[in-house]
Amino acid sequence: MTYVGYWLVGEVFGLERKFKYSFIYRCTVIVWMTIKFITQIYIFHFRHSVWDERTRLKWESLLIKQAKEYRDKAIMLGGVLIKVGQFLSTRNDFMPEVFIRELSGLVDRVPPSPFPYAKSLLEEEWNSELTDKVSEIGDSPVASASIGEVYRATLKDGSDVAIKIQRYRIQDIFHMDFRALKIVFWIISVFTSFGKIADLHALYRELVYVMDKELNFKKELEYGIYFRDRYKDNERIHVPFYFKRLCTKKVMVMEWVEGAKITDLHYMNKHHINVKQTAKTLFDFYLDQFLNDGLFHADPHAGNILVQKSGLISIIDFGMVGDVRRQDTHYFKRVIQGLIMDDYDKIMETLDEMNFLLPGANKKKVEKMIKQTVDMYENGSFQQMDAETMDQLKEDIRIFIKDQPIQLSADYAYLGRAMSIILGVLIHLYPEIDIGKWAKPTVKQWLGGKGITDSIYSEMAKDTLKPVLSYPRAMLNWLERGEKDRQWQKEKHQSRTMHHFYILLEGIMFTMLLIGSGFMMTVKIMAIDINVIVGVSLLAVISFLLLIVLMKHYRMIKFLR
């Protein structure tokens, strides 16, 4: 019997599980949820013309409700929805902060597959009996995620290993969801203002490209070997050994690593591990990846970073990686040089080459924002800011980025996500971390050595090496000076939203008229005994409402002109 047969024996034939592998069902759930969210947003903007504190709280409540519904649907269906949720949680450039907070807790929570399926899959992939390769294996996985499951086992040669297998029909599920996402992106491009300024085709391609790579375990094997070779001389970092002869597109076999999560301070204290030294080792490990060309580990959460009793740090999962190209490091250096020399033309030119700025971006406004940010670093006002001010500044910057045609590529987004995740891990591990002090030697060397960096550090380097999450006091002044501009932009955005809402409402009402008229004609032709007067009255009411909506829409357009 094939592994599909074993799976079907163990599967519970409930209605929800039966439909889970249906393209029509999955597409309907995903597309309907998108339409529902867009309609709720339109209705909210239609009902709230004044954006005071009360309205803002209602708006956040709506977003939280939508994010929770998305999370529940993602956990129910699995597949791409979980990965898209994790991807969206990285996109501060266009996603609301409250939505990101809800999605940041989205983890792969799916029930494990029956062991007979795992056994049959391994035998089919290895083309041999399981007992020919493995002397012992657990009946249930030690970890279960949306793409794969991990079993602890012992090979015939006595090696203690972790065996990762691909979930049942996961490739079919992903490719069904890719088609549904294409419909979703079309809806967003037609009915939302975001669709007018963002390159949704590029965003869709990036999503498919990034997630499709995770379906091929041979790619993960390739990445794991790359990192093992790259850091083979680092005595404080351990990358597991991979058993290549047993690895396939659907199966990954690597050495078993004993340890605790990097954030388990109780474990570290129990085994007398130097916490500060561990944090410094981890900081240097990731800083090297972020600054230099090559691959970087894009999913550095605590579950993927273990600390052994000896204090050795093990990185155990390379399913999600990004790429810092040689050209990227050149761009980063040019941006820093532009900041040092106050050459904002060079900065804007570099950002353009990095494809940060889409056609139509207001470069002068972007340049002004960067200048104000630099002023803030120079003012050194980070220490004076409370949490509320920081949150407000981050929200204003997010709004600014959202309103401008600015879009990060997937690799830059994952780079930013990896930076923020590892920073959170480091702060939890060692709250007294001094990022500037720890980064200074590496950054000096990265910029070219003593000859170049001496002049840099004599002018600005102290300020530019302050913690990456600081925001300038000068930006507060910019926010105050730009209040009228932002109010105008907000009104303009609300008008655009109302315009799209009217179009959507007119389309729905016109469709209802067509369906109703067709139904009434069918009733008349077939002489069906139905109260025609009631039907005609309903059509008249809909026609009257449509006329009112058209008039209000026309007045709004006339007013805007």
Side-chain angles (χ1 to χ4, degrees):
M1 185 182 293
T2 66
Y3 63 83
V4 174
Y6 278 112
W7 168 262
L8 292 175
V9 170
E11 189 77 349
V12 178
F13 289 97
L15 188 62
E16 180 183 298
R17 189 172 292 278
K18 190 175 181 180
F19 284 154
K20 183 177 179 180
Y21 304 103
S22 163
F23 168 70
I24 295 177
Y25 175 72
R26 297 184 69 89
C27 185
T28 301
V29 171
I30 294 171
V31 172
W32 170 246
M33 181 169 60
T34 303
I35 295 173
K36 177 182 176 182
F37 286 179
I38 292 175
T39 304
Q40 287 175 341
I41 291 171
Y42 277 143
I43 292 174
F44 184 90
H45 283 285
F46 181 76
R47 295 176 59 187
H48 300 86
S49 57
V50 178
W51 279 76
D52 53 14
E53 181 65 19
R54 186 177 177 183
T55 304
R56 189 183 66 80
L57 291 175
K58 288 182 179 179
W59 172 246
E60 289 188 357
S61 177
L62 173 63
L63 294 179
I64 290 172
K65 180 182 176 182
Q66 291 183 341
K68 287 180 177 178
E69 180 176 342
Y70 180 95
R71 187 178 59 197
D72 292 342
K73 289 286 194 302
I75 293 171
M76 179 186 77
L77 292 179
V80 166
L81 280 184
I82 287 180
K83 294 302 175 185
V84 168
Q86 294 172 340
F87 176 81
L88 291 178
S89 69
T90 72
R91 301 312 295 255
N92 295 79
D93 51 328
F94 60 79
M95 290 299 295
E97 183 68 24
V98 291
F99 210 95
I100 289 175
R101 282 200 298 266
E102 289 295 326
L103 293 185
S104 62
L106 183 63
V107 294
D108 297 333
R109 291 186 288 175
V110 289
S113 306
F115 178 72
Y117 160 72
K119 178 176 181 295
S120 185
L121 174 62
L122 289 170
E123 290 178 341
E124 183 164 313
E125 290 294 307
W126 289 343
N127 196 27
S128 68
E129 293 292 325
L130 181 63
T131 53
D132 292 342
K133 307 289 186 182
V134 175
S135 61
E136 186 179 351
I137 186 172
D139 291 336
S140 58
V142 295
S144 182
S146 61
I147 291 180
E149 298 176 318
V150 179
Y151 289 83
R152 184 172 184 175
T154 304
L155 300 182
K156 281 292 187 179
D157 62 4
S159 300
D160 204 10
V161 297
I163 300 178
K164 182 178 176 180
I165 66 166
Q166 208 167 90
R167 291 186 67 85
Y168 173 70
R169 289 191 64 182
I170 191 62
Q171 293 201 26
D172 292 339
I173 287 175
F174 265 59
H175 289 103
M176 282 189 283
D177 291 352
F178 287 155
R179 284 183 283 168
L181 277 184
K182 202 162 192 176
I183 300 173
V184 167
F185 274 56
W186 177 83
I187 292 172
I188 294 173
S189 67
V190 172
F191 293 106
T192 71
S193 58
F194 174 72
K196 310 299 180 185
I197 63 173
D199 188 350
L200 292 182
H201 291 293
L203 193 61
Y204 175 77
R205 288 195 302 270
E206 288 171 1
L207 274 171
V208 173
Y209 173 72
V210 169
M211 289 186 285
D212 199 47
K213 284 196 300 183
E214 290 193 60
L215 292 173
N216 187 350
F217 286 177
K218 281 193 172 183
K219 276 290 183 183
E220 184 175 347
L221 170 66
E222 178 185 325
Y223 298 146
I225 293 174
Y226 165 85
F227 280 98
R228 184 174 173 83
D229 290 342
R230 179 172 173 177
Y231 294 100
K232 61 184 178 182
D233 296 327
N234 191 328
E235 296 180 353
R236 297 180 179 274
I237 296 292
H238 172 250
V239 177
F241 174 78
Y242 292 84
F243 296 79
K244 292 176 63 175
R245 61 186 174 85
L246 298 177
C247 295
T248 69
K249 287 186 69 175
K250 296 182 178 180
V251 175
M252 168 81 68
V253 183
M254 55 185 275
E255 70 170 287
W256 181 264
V257 177
E258 284 287 356
K261 289 183 179 181
I262 193 70
T263 51
D264 190 342
L265 295 176
H266 175 74
Y267 177 90
M268 296 179 72
N269 291 329
K270 178 182 177 181
H271 295 285
H272 309 290
I273 299 171
N274 188 318
V275 176
K276 180 179 179 181
Q277 182 59 56
T278 302
K280 181 66 165 61
T281 300
L282 197 63
F283 177 85
D284 291 339
F285 174 68
Y286 281 100
L287 185 63
D288 173 63
Q289 296 171 48
F290 297 155
L291 292 181
N292 298 303
D293 57 285
L295 301 179
F296 65 88
H297 185 214
D299 197 21
H301 63 77
N304 287 339
I305 308 173
L306 303 182
V307 58
Q308 300 183 34
K309 293 180 181 180
S310 62
L312 190 65
I313 298 174
S314 296
I315 316 297
I316 62 171
D317 190 322
F318 295 98
M320 187 183 297
V321 302
D323 186 14
V324 176
R325 301 161 298 175
R326 187 179 298 274
Q327 185 64 34
D328 292 329
T329 62
H330 177 64
Y331 288 147
F332 299 159
K333 290 178 181 179
R334 280 176 59 186
V335 169
I336 291 177
Q337 289 168 3
L339 291 171
I340 294 167
M341 304 302 295
D342 284 333
D343 187 351
Y344 290 95
D345 289 337
K346 175 184 282 190
I347 295 172
M348 298 308 300
E349 180 184 341
T350 304
L351 292 179
D352 208 8
E353 291 178 18
M354 294 170 75
N355 295 320
F356 272 23
L357 307 177
L358 298 177
N362 188 333
K363 294 183 179 180
K364 289 297 181 184
K365 200 166 185 179
V366 176
E367 180 179 324
K368 184 178 179 181
M369 168 66 85
I370 296 173
K371 284 182 179 179
Q372 299 296 336
T373 305
V374 173
D375 286 343
M376 180 175 165
Y377 278 108
E378 292 176 343
N379 287 343
S381 56
F382 175 69
Q383 290 79 8
Q384 284 80 41
M385 291 188 181
D386 57 19
E388 185 177 350
T389 304
M390 291 286 287
D391 288 342
Q392 181 58 46
L393 284 170
K394 283 192 280 186
E395 178 65 12
D396 283 314
I397 290 173
R398 187 196 64 77
I399 292 172
F400 171 82
I401 294 175
K402 179 183 175 183
D403 287 342
Q404 291 297 315
I406 298 172
Q407 183 169 301
L408 304 179
S409 69
D411 275 333
Y412 289 135
Y414 276 110
L415 181 63
R417 175 182 184 267
M419 287 179 175
S420 63
I421 290 175
I422 198 62
L423 182 62
V425 170
L426 288 167
I427 291 174
H428 177 90
L429 186 61
Y430 186 65
E432 296 82 15
I433 182 173
D434 187 338
I435 295 177
K437 183 178 179 181
W438 287 9
K440 184 175 179 178
T442 304
V443 173
K444 285 182 70 173
Q445 184 179 3
W446 178 70
L447 285 171
K450 185 176 180 181
I452 294 177
T453 55
D454 275 356
S455 59
I456 293 174
Y457 276 85
S458 64
E459 297 180 37
M460 283 188 72
K462 282 187 179 180
D463 297 324
T464 57
L465 284 176
K466 286 186 179 178
V468 294
L469 292 181
S470 64
Y471 290 92
R473 178 186 299 170
M475 190 173 296
L476 290 173
N477 297 329
W478 178 84
L479 291 171
E480 291 171 0
R481 292 197 305 268
E483 183 63 35
K484 290 184 179 179
D485 290 339
R486 292 199 311 282
Q487 183 62 33
W488 179 81
Q489 288 288 346
K490 184 180 290 185
E491 291 175 358
K492 183 179 177 182
H493 174 72
Q494 290 175 355
S495 298
R496 286 200 305 264
T497 303
M498 287 299 302
H499 174 64
H500 291 136
F501 173 72
Y502 278 128
I503 291 175
L504 179 65
L505 195 58
E506 289 160 1
I508 293 173
M509 295 178 76
F510 185 70
T511 303
M512 290 173 64
L513 274 177
L514 288 178
I515 294 173
S517 300
F519 179 72
M520 293 304 297
M521 290 179 63
T522 304
V523 167
K524 186 174 181 180
I525 292 171
M526 301 183 67
I528 300 174
D529 187 18
I530 291 179
N531 195 327
V532 178
I533 296 177
V534 174
V536 172
S537 299
L538 287 174
L539 288 178
V541 170
I542 295 173
S543 300
F544 179 70
L545 292 174
L546 177 59
L547 181 63
I548 293 175
V549 171
L550 287 169
M551 290 176 64
K552 290 177 71 68
H553 192 185
Y554 173 75
R555 288 175 183 171
M556 187 195 76
I557 295 173
K558 190 175 180 181
F559 173 76
L560 289 176
R561 289 179 178 175

